Amino acid sequence: MSHLGYAAGMDSFQATIDADGRIEPRDAMPDGYRKTLIRQIAQHAHSEIIGMQPEGNWISRAPSLRRKAILMAKVQDEAGHGLYLYAAAETLGVDRADVLDLLHSGKQKYSSIFNYPTLTWADIGAIGWLVDGAAIVNQVPLCRCSYGPYARAMVRVCKEESFHQRQGFEILYTLCNGTPEQKAMAQDALDRWWWPSLMMFGPPDSASTHSEQSMAWGIKRHSNDELRQRFVDMTVPQADVLGLRVPDDGLSYDEEAGHYRFSEPDYTELYDVVKGNGPCNQERLAHRVKAHEDGAWVREAAAAYAEKQALKEAAA
Amino acid sequence: MIEPLWEIFVRSRRGLSHTHVGSLHAPDATMALRNARDVYTRRQEGVSIWVVRASDITASSPDEKDEFFDPAGDKVYRHPTFYQVPEGVEHL
């Protein structure tokens, strides 16, 4: 405890934030800052590991050994990203097991995008290109988040995500230069994933509940609508290269502003999927809980072995 | 059953020191090393890994950082820039 007590720590919290410095795990911080970060980092971690499911669905059916090896590496990365993030959340004083319980009991959410099914191989391309593309737009500013462990985890994640997006684009580019049926499959995937991808940036600024405080704390650097615009500006020219049509009749380029104008996504769908009514909500959560329970014997065996070795060492 | 927390340090290449990269849970040191390899060196980020039980680390307290690091505060003469070098003097 400093001689000035708790208040001195709080002053230095605000001073650090104001100077665009980084807050580290054992620094004094307001309760709300800690809670907001725990919630955000935990839900980010949940999204990474739930996100393994829609893609894992296609590992055994990947069209070539090369595609299969790439997809396995990508899904393994998502597991790793989940672990970086759970570790970052734990620096704020929560236990990973408790945070996982909150996911399993449905008390904490994950990104709604993973509640949509992967119906064809082109969906794996669309996820890499659009979903990982949107994730990168969201995550790059988080590399400068005011909380050190979260920012550092994001630097690692962003480095790794860039191959994810490229492999997705490559899958679609190959399909688009294949047979008419393959190109139609790619178009169908874009038609289904475009709007859910736009919704990944969250509700419009006018309806976003957490944004203002998060901006003031340096957790969030740009508004939802700013990031959504950035994503559309990046992605539409890429769709042109693929020769695919973005499924938005209201899409046009505003020469003067240098931005694409696009229609507003149907946010009632977003709220509905968040509430649990997406096509795959129940399946995703049930699978996660089952994987956790099925793996219990491995954790127990490893713990029993560690205990036995420790006893042996103590006796020697 | 609570798996202990381990702090992970990776030497990225020979000639550099081990750097903290994050943490993970594992039942023992051997498993911690294997998990650290899979979590933190999937792209050949390291040539050597240290794992340390988080509970074995003693850290300075951020609350005391002013007093704790105070002694170095008024000793600017420990830096070469403190000294005036007369014009024309080289290799000093």
Side-chain angles (χ1 to χ4, degrees), chain A residues 63-95:
Chain A
S64 68
L65 190 56
R66 175 177 181 270
R67 295 287 185 207
K68 184 172 180 161
I70 291 170
L71 188 55
M72 282 197 293
K74 179 178 190 302
V75 173
Q76 194 186 18
D77 271 354
E78 308 300 355
H81 297 176
L83 282 168
Y84 306 154
L85 287 161
Y86 284 121
E90 286 198 309
T91 63
L92 290 158
V94 287
D95 193 80

Side-chain angles (χ1 to χ4, degrees), chain A residues 26 77 90 156 160 163, chain B residues 25 39-40 42-43 60 62:
Chain A
R26 297 173 67 226
D77 271 354
E90 286 198 309
R156 282 189 95 82
E160 299 184 356
F163 114 69
Chain B
H25 288 277
V39 176
Y40 292 106
R42 285 196 303 288
R43 287 170 175 77
S60 63

Side-chain angles (χ1 to χ4, degrees), chain B residues 20-84:
Chain B
H20 184 245
V21 291
S23 56
L24 52 78
H25 288 277
D28 59 34
T30 310
M31 287 299 291
L33 266 181
R34 284 176 184 234
N35 291 352
R37 177 198 59 190
D38 292 343
V39 176
Y40 292 106
T41 61
R42 285 196 303 288
R43 287 170 175 77
Q44 299 177 296
E45 289 95 335
V47 294
S48 161
I49 301 177
W50 288 348
V51 298
V52 181
R53 250 180 216 266
S55 58
D56 286 346
I57 294 178
T58 307
S60 63
S61 158
D63 291 331
E64 290 166 4
K65 68 173 187 291
D66 292 344
E67 296 89 327
F68 191 74
F69 294 108
D70 229 10
D74 56 356
K75 296 176 180 62
V76 281
Y77 43 82
R78 283 174 174 166
H79 299 278
T81 46
F82 175 75
Y83 300 90
Q84 277 197 342

Side-chain angles (χ1 to χ4, degrees), chain A residues 38-51 86 99-115 210 270-278 281-282 284-285 288:
Chain A
I38 290 174
R39 184 180 55 87
Q40 180 171 338
I41 299 173
Q43 296 193 157
H44 197 159
H46 301 332
S47 303
E48 298 285 354
I49 63 166
I50 294 285
Y86 284 121
V99 174
L100 276 173
D101 280 346
L102 291 173
L103 168 66
H104 296 157
S105 60
K107 284 180 190 133
Q108 275 184 344
K109 306 286 185 199
Y110 51 87
S111 178
S112 278
I113 193 80
F114 301 119
N115 289 317
H210 303 294
L270 174 66
Y271 299 132
D272 206 39
V273 179
V274 170
K275 258 186 239 153
N277 302 321
N281 293 57
Q282 283 161 29
R284 297 287 184 246
L285 201 55
R288 172 88 274 279

